[in-house]
Amino acid sequence: MKIKQYIDKFLKLIYPIKFVRWIYSMRLITWLISWIISVFQIQILAFIVHAIQNKNIQDFNYWLVVFVLVQIFNFFLMYYAGQYWNKSLLKLKFVLSEIYLSKFLKLDNNKVESLWTWRIYSIINRWIDHWSSILNENFHGIFVNIISMFYAFGVIFFTAWWKFFLIV
């Protein structure tokens, strides 16, 4: 029963994403590309170090140019992703405000006045800000960590376990 409750709470947490599916799908794609670029940059730096160790100036120049081009592409990708970050944050705040402030306006006026109208309004607005920030910022970290774990397990499998199974 506990797992069902956690799943229900998680679905309530991500409920507003259904209103911004297109923006979040674009954000997921940019997060994935950014992750691939960061892994690729590490490999490029390894090639640069290898070229320096072998004193191969042609390979060094080639990988240095590739590294700079990847950095420029990453810069434009991050600029593009930043625009979607702003759009998704504003759209999430708008959707949550539309849902919950309309409920707030339908409450009994006398009860709301006894609890101070602006105090309740401030609490609702802070809650909306925090909820949209959680959906906007924390899912990036979760997504990148899950992709990194799969990548790490893949590297471990194909380097260590694959050799083990070939021996057996």
Side-chain angles (χ1 to χ4, degrees):
M1 189 63 181
K2 286 267 190 195
I3 293 174
K4 175 110 172 88
Q5 290 174 346
Y6 288 126
I7 291 172
D8 289 340
K9 287 180 182 182
F10 179 74
L11 291 176
K12 284 181 186 176
L13 175 68
I14 63 171
Y15 169 73
I17 291 178
K18 80 176 194 177
F19 298 106
V20 288
R21 283 186 204 142
W22 171 251
I23 294 173
Y24 260 83
S25 62
M26 294 306 294
R27 290 198 65 201
L28 285 175
I29 290 169
T30 56
W31 291 342
L32 181 64
I33 293 171
S34 174
W35 179 83
I36 291 170
I37 286 174
S38 58
V39 170
F40 187 61
Q41 285 175 336
I42 293 169
Q43 190 63 43
I44 291 173
L45 287 174
F47 290 145
I48 289 174
V49 169
H50 185 266
I52 290 172
Q53 287 175 343
N54 292 335
K55 296 180 179 143
N56 189 347
I57 202 74
Q58 289 177 332
D59 283 350
F60 174 75
N61 288 337
Y62 172 76
W63 288 112
L64 191 62
V65 168
V66 169
F67 183 77
V68 168
L69 291 176
V70 168
Q71 281 293 100
I72 291 170
F73 177 73
N74 195 22
F75 172 75
F76 286 116
L77 180 71
M78 289 299 106
Y79 175 75
Y80 177 74
Q83 289 179 340
Y84 274 102
W85 185 84
N86 290 334
K87 287 179 184 177
S88 64
L89 184 65
L90 293 176
K91 182 72 174 175
L92 278 173
K93 285 184 180 181
F94 176 75
V95 165
L96 290 171
S97 297
E98 191 174 294
I99 292 170
Y100 291 103
L101 288 180
S102 65
K103 289 182 180 181
F104 168 69
L105 292 175
K106 293 177 185 174
L107 292 176
D108 181 25
N109 201 15
N110 294 327
K111 282 228 179 205
V112 171
E113 280 299 321
S114 68
L115 297 171
W116 297 359
T117 306
W118 291 108
R119 181 176 172 212
I120 295 175
Y121 181 75
S122 173
I123 291 169
I124 291 172
N125 269 340
R126 269 189 282 143
W127 174 65
I128 288 171
D129 287 342
H130 290 302
W131 192 357
S132 55
S133 295
I134 286 170
L135 288 176
N136 232 13
E137 296 166 3
N138 291 347
F139 279 123
H140 173 260
I142 292 168
F143 179 75
V144 169
N145 288 337
I146 289 172
I147 295 289
S148 298
M149 284 187 335
F150 282 125
Y151 178 74
F153 288 139
V155 167
I156 290 168
F157 175 76
F158 285 113
T159 57
W161 288 101
W162 187 254
K163 291 177 186 176
F164 174 76
F165 287 125
L166 287 178
I167 294 171
V168 175

